[in-house]
Each structure stands twice: as structure tokens, then as C-alpha cells.
Amino acid sequence: MTNDLTGVWDGTYIQPSVGMVTFLTTLIDSGGALGGSVTEPCMTSGCPVSTHNASIAGQRSGSAVSFIKRYEPPGYGYNKVFYEGAVNADATEISGRWRLPGATLSGTFLMVRSTKTAQSIATEERTKEPVR
């Protein structure tokens, strides 16, 4: 597989006792080295932040993808999560499993390449913000 994974990806993961969580990822693929960022809502009750930000560092080899998501700042029960999965043939989906280090907590995830550019998504998000 030679498809570059650089781009914006819409994702979901399933977390036991919480359900489906959506997230937005920006991936940068530099010759198989993966980096990027993730934004997702806080789904735990009493969470002091409404949105979590995280960085991604990992790799792609053929169709296999693995990365670590590190929450910034860590805390609120969030630190890092390991992801392992596979890219489909046309590099439009990444699916697999996530797991917490040192715990049995794990689940599935799916990322779908966005058909919009990051610029148009940012513009669209700003139009949804309430006017102050």
C-alpha cells in the first residue's frame, strides 16, 4: 500500500459502559511515520472539560497502522491509549481496536477519511458557534 494517510478523519470508538464516542483526527503521514491531533468530547459525568485534545504518534507499514494517542494535558482519567488497526485498499477507512495500557479496558474504532478539506471543516465549525 502506498496511499498517504495525511488528511482529516472522522472517527468513532466504542467504550464499554459509555457507548459510541465521536472524534476528529488530523493525520500526517511522513513516509509511514504518523503524527497528528485528535479532538473529542468528554463523555464522563462531572468532567471538568467539555473537549479533550490529544496528539498521535505511530506508524503505518503496508495496511497495518498503530499509534498512541496521548491526551494533552493528561488527567481526568485520560492519559494514553494504544490503537492498532488496518487501512482498507483505497485508504479511506482505518478500523481496529484500542486498549488502555495495563488494563483490560478495550474496544473497537473506525476512522473514515473526510471528503472535506481541513479548511472547509474549520469554516463550517465556526459557522455553528453561537454569536456573542
Side-chain angles (χ1 to χ4, degrees):
M1 168 174 293
T2 59
N3 290 327
D4 189 311
L5 301 180
T6 298
V8 177
W9 297 75
D10 296 302
T12 59
Y13 64 84
I14 305 298
Q15 183 174 341
S17 76
V18 172
M20 183 180 293
V21 179
T22 61
F23 60 91
L24 182 67
T25 302
T26 301
L27 278 181
I28 298 169
D29 182 347
S30 179
L34 298 177
S37 61
V38 178
T39 303
E40 65 187 58
C42 184
M43 300 299 288
T44 59
S45 62
C47 189
V49 296
S50 60
T51 303
H52 288 289
N53 295 305
S55 62
I56 287 178
Q59 61 191 15
R60 172 189 52 85
S61 179
S63 64
V65 173
S66 62
F67 58 88
I68 298 173
K69 177 171 70 174
R70 286 185 172 83
Y71 288 94
E72 299 170 354
Y76 316 116
Y78 296 83
N79 188 11
K80 62 183 174 181
V81 183
F82 295 99
Y83 285 76
E84 292 183 344
V87 180
N88 69 351
D90 57 357
T92 58
E93 292 186 5
I94 303 170
S95 61
R97 295 196 61 81
W98 62 267
R99 66 179 172 78
L100 294 180
T104 58
L105 192 59
S106 67
T108 59
F109 76 93
L110 172 65
M111 295 167 56
V112 178
R113 189 186 294 265
S114 178
T115 56
K116 299 177 183 178
T117 65
Q119 174 78 26
S120 66
I121 288 173
T123 301
E124 187 176 285
E125 289 301 312
R126 278 196 301 274
T127 63
K128 291 179 184 176
E129 292 178 5
V131 177
R132 297 175 195 205

